[in-house]
Amino acid sequence: TTEVGSTSEVGSTTEVGSTTELGSTTELGSTTDAGSTSDAGSTTDAGSTTGGGTDPGTTGDATTDGGSTDTGDPPDDLLFVETFDGADGDPWPAPWIVVGDNVLSATIQGGRGQLSGITDGTARVVLPGFAERDVEMLATVEFTDWTRQGIGLYARQNGGSLNQTDPPGQGYALFLEGFYLVSLGFWREVVGLETLIGAAFDPIPGGALPSVRYRMRYQVVQEGPYTALRSKVWLATEPEPVAWAMDLVDDTPELQDIVGSFAVDVYNDAGTDSVYFDDLEIRAL
């Protein structure tokens, strides 16, 4: 995932692109990204907004035990679970597929999915075989170096990666990064080009510590002519926050009322360090 814009006030939520506003986000105009860093100008201060404050309702059980979520019997809406069982050094379990040219390693390490990629390039692993519109993704993630890395979760994904595949990548992404914008941001990928939609800055106060587990929750839901995007991140050993850190809508025509599958990726702004995924759950909404 590539970056645009410059940072705004810590804790504020900023909206960019041609999205329709929801709540107290601030409009920043249009942003274009050709798959590498492009500048959208200085961001506008959105005051002390830290999210839409929307109650997640029945989106799933809060995590309070270090990252594992007790779901009991699998509910009808549970589409997929990945716990990365296997021996160290094994590849990611089927049906995960490495796509594009930037992945250096995608293996199981310590019961987690390890993923590393080249410097200054999106390294993506795709979960094919699904055709879902309204979904929620929940994942445990770990950084090696927060100040140089970003982690992405993708929904309505077409199986591609930027302009490295045919067809090019397309879908909605949630990107948690500790380098350029230091933010939890929503991105749209259309015909291989990624554009920032909105961001909540300083999502992990003080930054993510290495080898510490964090939980990410991400929703993509069609609401009439718009898609609602919601997300939050928290320390896995603490209760899940009630309020969303990010809650906005997007009206990009190519991404409305469509179905797709899922993906995850890492972006190394410097170095080639790994990130880790675990306890990944995907539900239909």
Side-chain angles (χ1 to χ4, degrees), residues 82-93 96 105-116 125 139-144 151 213 264-266 273-280:
E82 182 60 78
T83 57
F84 295 98
D85 296 330
D88 285 0
D90 285 351
W92 281 39
W96 294 100
S105 176
T107 64
I108 295 174
Q109 298 291 338
R112 305 163 298 167
Q114 171 269 342
L115 180 62
S116 65
V125 183
T140 298
V141 298
E142 298 176 46
F143 291 85
T144 299
I151 290 175
R213 295 160 67 89
V264 300
D265 62 25
V266 59
D273 287 330
S274 299
V275 296
Y276 299 90
F277 298 86
D278 201 2
D279 300 325
L280 177 64

Side-chain angles (χ1 to χ4, degrees), residues 66-83:
S68 61
T69 302
D70 182 7
T71 59
D73 294 332
D76 292 341
D77 58 2
L78 187 61
L79 299 173
F80 181 81
V81 175
E82 182 60 78
T83 57

Side-chain angles (χ1 to χ4, degrees), residues 104 114-119 148-149 268 270-275:
L104 297 178
Q114 171 269 342
L115 180 62
S116 65
I118 67 170
T119 302
R148 303 192 301 178
Q149 294 181 304
N268 279 314
T272 59
D273 287 330
S274 299
V275 296

Side-chain angles (χ1 to χ4, degrees), residues 27-48:
E27 190 88 12
L28 291 187
S30 179
T31 304
T32 302
D33 184 353
S36 58
T37 303
S38 105
D39 189 359
S42 299
T43 58
T44 301
D45 183 3
S48 59

Side-chain angles (χ1 to χ4, degrees), residues 6 9 28 37 64 70 100 112 116 153 172 204 208 216 271 282 284:
S6 58
E9 181 182 349
L28 291 187
T37 303
T64 59
D70 182 7
R112 305 163 298 167
S116 65
L153 305 179
Y172 280 118
I204 302 174
M216 298 172 67
I282 300 175

Side-chain angles (χ1 to χ4, degrees), residues 170-243:
Q170 180 166 292
Y172 280 118
L174 173 66
F175 190 59
L176 176 63
E177 59 158 306
F179 55 103
Y180 191 46
L181 290 179
V182 190
S183 65
L184 182 70
F186 290 128
W187 295 71
R188 57 175 174 252
E189 184 178 14
V190 177
V191 196
L193 304 180
E194 290 190 319
T195 306
L196 180 65
I197 301 171
F201 299 100
D202 194 23
I204 302 174
L209 298 175
S211 303
V212 172
R213 295 160 67 89
Y214 298 87
R215 293 287 274 173
M216 298 172 67
R217 192 184 291 275
Y218 172 39
Q219 290 187 353
V220 178
V221 181
Q222 194 71 38
E223 296 184 351
Y226 311 111
T227 297
L229 303 168
R230 306 181 184 101
S231 68
K232 62 179 78 171
V233 60
W234 69 98
L235 185 64
T237 54
E238 295 183 353
E240 179 177 348
V242 173

